[in-house]
Amino acid sequence: MVQYDFLDASFGALADPTRRGILERLGRGPATVSELAERFEMTLTGIKKHISLLEDAGMIVTEKRGRVRYCRLGENVFDREVAWLQGYRRMVEARMDRLGEFLERTEPDQ
């Protein structure tokens, strides 16, 4: 059986609007944990939990410089997820094509 554990982590991380907002914000450039906490009106502890989930899913990378932790988007973020979605889409489209062909063959002449 094919394992898609990365999808569980990715879609779980994307399920929360705050985490989607963090990704959107980091899409414009790196930010500190404190900046993100302020932006989302959260405590440092609360924002760190969101950051940890995003980091575990491979969507962001954090780096500590001195006493400050910086966050940025991960490399090739969403490449695996997009590849999976495209494969799934091809499968669904092929099934729809077969259904269309079947309906054409079985449609009574008018």
Side-chain angles (χ1 to χ4, degrees):
M1 178 177 199
V2 178
Q3 294 295 315
Y4 293 111
D5 293 339
F6 71 93
L7 289 175
D8 295 340
S10 298
F11 290 130
L14 292 172
D16 185 85
T18 299
R19 291 190 288 272
R20 291 190 304 268
I22 292 169
L23 290 173
E24 182 180 329
R25 167 54 190 86
L26 294 177
R28 294 190 299 273
T32 67
V33 171
S34 297
E35 290 169 342
L36 293 171
E38 184 178 318
R39 161 74 173 83
F40 293 97
E41 299 177 357
M42 299 185 82
T43 64
L44 287 175
T45 302
I47 202 75
K48 284 178 185 179
K49 288 180 182 180
H50 287 292
I51 289 169
S52 178
L53 278 166
L54 289 167
E55 196 169 23
D56 290 346
M59 295 180 173
I60 69 170
V61 175
T62 63
E63 175 186 358
K64 191 168 185 178
R65 293 185 220 150
R67 298 180 67 184
V68 179
R69 182 163 293 279
Y70 288 85
C71 304
R72 63 177 169 80
L73 288 181
E75 297 293 320
N76 305 317
V77 70
F78 298 125
D79 283 355
R80 296 179 305 172
E81 294 81 1
V82 168
W84 180 83
L85 287 168
Q86 288 172 335
Y88 191 79
R89 181 179 187 169
R90 283 190 298 273
M91 179 190 67
V92 170
E93 287 174 349
R95 292 179 78 184
M96 296 302 287
D97 290 343
R98 287 194 305 273
L99 175 61
E101 291 166 4
F102 171 78
L103 292 174
E104 286 177 11
R105 284 193 318 268
T106 59
E107 183 177 290
D109 292 330
Q110 295 181 2

